[in-house]
Amino acid sequence: MDFGVVLQTDPPAREVVRLMKAAEERGFRYGWTFDSCVLWQEPFVIYSQILAATSSMTVGPMVTSPGTRDWSVLASLFATLNDMFGNRTVCGIGRGDSAHRVVGKPPSTLATLAESMHVIKELAEGREVLLRDTPVRIPWVRNGRLEMWMAGYGPRALKLVGEQADGFILQCADPAIARWTIGAVHEAAGAAGRDPAGITICVAAPAYVGDDLAHQREQLRWFGGMVGNHVADLVARYGDSGPVPHELTDYIRARQGYDYAHHGRAGNPSTDFVPDAIVDRFCLTGPAAAHVARLQEFAELGVHQFSLYLMHDERERTLAAYEKIIGKLAA
């Protein structure tokens, strides 16, 4: 199993670069960041610094969206970094949450997301594609490679992952939800004539190693609120008794609203509705042995990468603890 780390691009950017370099030294092979340029700094500028400071780490957004930049700009950003540093980027992409909502835009449709994934990949890898009915090709791309990893939760999104994406990002560490979503992705891939085993599966969630479970829960409760934004959209579409598992939908009944000013941050006051049981299921908490056991369960489900959100008060200790955990999973 590969391991990644997910950071927000808070200033100063040099601290983001330092933590990514430290993560690579601890055995993390992927470095991800949020991509919401009003709430945080522009990630693609920082990616160039991360790639320069590391030797082999692959970097990318978790996740970007079709609605914040022109698709030709996104493709050129990835292609430029790949040309400079040797195909060390990956494009995590979804319909759009904070980056859209803080500027008054709704999430993109799945049809738009599907088209954007095709256009961005083709352009970044040097092939000609129709962009707004105009044939476009980036002429300076040579031997470019860009995998598109799509994030999603609902049945239609999971179907699109299976039909088109190179990877699947599940932002939730609940094994029951992982089992259902991975199964749906694999089923869709098979129906589309693709090899399900060729789709990289990435589970992403906060992780905090230690014995003070009450403190860990308070530090990680924000994640249930972030996931709840997407679940609320699913409930609006499918209802709370539709095809989406109740493990994912039941807890948002007490949700009253969400303030993106505190998005992804410990102590987020918009997440009081998230119960302890959801924190325990959606995140990795407790001593190192509990993390190892959960990760082994994911490996048995076919998960190829675990990426941990490092938004809490013990970032350095968590990286150090995970160096040992990574060693155990690799043994």
Side-chain angles (χ1 to χ4, degrees):
M1 182 182 287
D2 282 335
F3 286 82
V5 63
V6 190
L7 297 173
Q8 293 165 337
T9 52
D10 289 310
R14 63 178 176 274
E15 179 66 4
V16 180
V17 176
R18 184 192 71 80
L19 282 168
M20 288 295 191
K21 187 174 186 296
E24 183 184 55
E25 292 169 353
R26 299 284 193 182
F28 291 85
R29 295 187 60 238
Y30 283 75
W32 304 90
T33 75
F34 283 33
D35 180 11
S36 190
C37 300
V38 172
L39 297 177
W40 301 286
Q41 293 186 330
E42 167 57 50
F44 283 89
V45 176
I46 299 171
Y47 293 158
S48 65
Q49 297 294 308
I50 296 170
L51 289 164
T54 56
S55 60
S56 59
M57 176 176 273
T58 297
V59 306
M62 189 177 281
V63 294
T64 194
S65 75
T68 51
R69 303 176 185 85
D70 187 89
W71 301 345
S72 65
V73 173
L74 263 175
S76 184
L77 287 167
F78 282 112
T80 300
L81 292 172
N82 283 339
D83 186 67
M84 293 173 68
F85 298 101
N87 287 335
R88 289 170 53 199
T89 68
V90 58
C91 180
I93 193 167
R95 293 178 58 219
D97 181 37
S98 62
H100 283 218
R101 299 187 201 268
V102 296
V103 295
K105 297 178 65 173
S108 298
T109 65
L110 286 175
T112 297
L113 179 55
E115 184 183 2
S116 74
M117 287 196 295
H118 172 69
V119 169
I120 293 165
K121 182 179 180 71
E122 293 298 292
L123 288 176
E125 295 187 346
R127 293 183 290 275
E128 182 178 290
V129 68
L130 285 179
L131 177 61
R132 292 181 293 274
D133 298 322
T134 298
V136 178
R137 184 177 71 86
I138 301 177
W140 46 263
V141 173
R142 297 290 184 272
N143 302 313
R145 186 183 73 249
L146 181 65
E147 291 193 354
M148 307 295 295
W149 292 16
M150 181 181 153
Y153 298 96
R156 292 174 62 238
L158 299 173
K159 183 173 181 289
L160 176 57
V161 174
E163 291 173 342
Q164 183 174 339
D166 300 302
F168 169 49
I169 297 172
L170 172 62
Q171 294 165 308
C172 178
D174 185 316
I177 294 169
R179 186 176 294 106
W180 175 73
T181 54
I182 294 169
V185 167
H186 285 173
E187 182 180 358
R194 303 179 71 201
D195 179 6
I199 300 173
T200 302
I201 307 296
C202 173
V203 167
Y208 195 130
V209 181
D211 297 317
D212 189 347
L213 190 55
H215 179 71
Q216 292 180 35
R217 286 167 174 161
E218 290 312 309
Q219 287 288 303
L220 305 183
R221 201 174 304 277
W222 64 266
F223 186 66
M226 187 183 84
V227 173
N229 297 330
H230 303 285
V231 175
D233 289 343
L234 293 179
V235 171
R237 173 177 290 274
Y238 297 105
D240 56 12
S241 59
V244 182
H246 69 87
E247 290 92 345
L248 193 58
T249 60
D250 285 355
Y251 81 100
I252 69 160
R253 288 173 181 165
R255 181 179 183 270
Q256 298 297 317
Y258 192 84
D259 182 355
Y260 280 91
H262 309 285
H263 188 58
R265 299 189 185 280
N268 185 337
S270 299
T271 60
D272 290 345
F273 69 94
V274 180
D276 289 348
I278 287 293
V279 180
D280 294 344
R281 282 172 37 205
F282 284 16
C283 307
L284 270 67
T285 58
H291 292 242
V292 171
R294 182 83 67 90
L295 291 167
Q296 288 174 333
E297 187 173 2
F298 285 138
E300 292 170 0
L301 291 173
V303 174
H304 302 101
Q305 179 183 148
F306 175 68
S307 283
L308 66 91
Y309 286 91
L310 203 60
M311 292 95 188
H312 54 65
D313 60 358
E314 288 287 1
R315 299 192 297 183
E316 305 283 356
R317 286 181 61 185
T318 298
L319 288 178
Y322 258 77
E323 182 176 16
K324 298 177 181 178
I325 290 171
I326 291 170
K328 290 181 179 180
L329 268 293

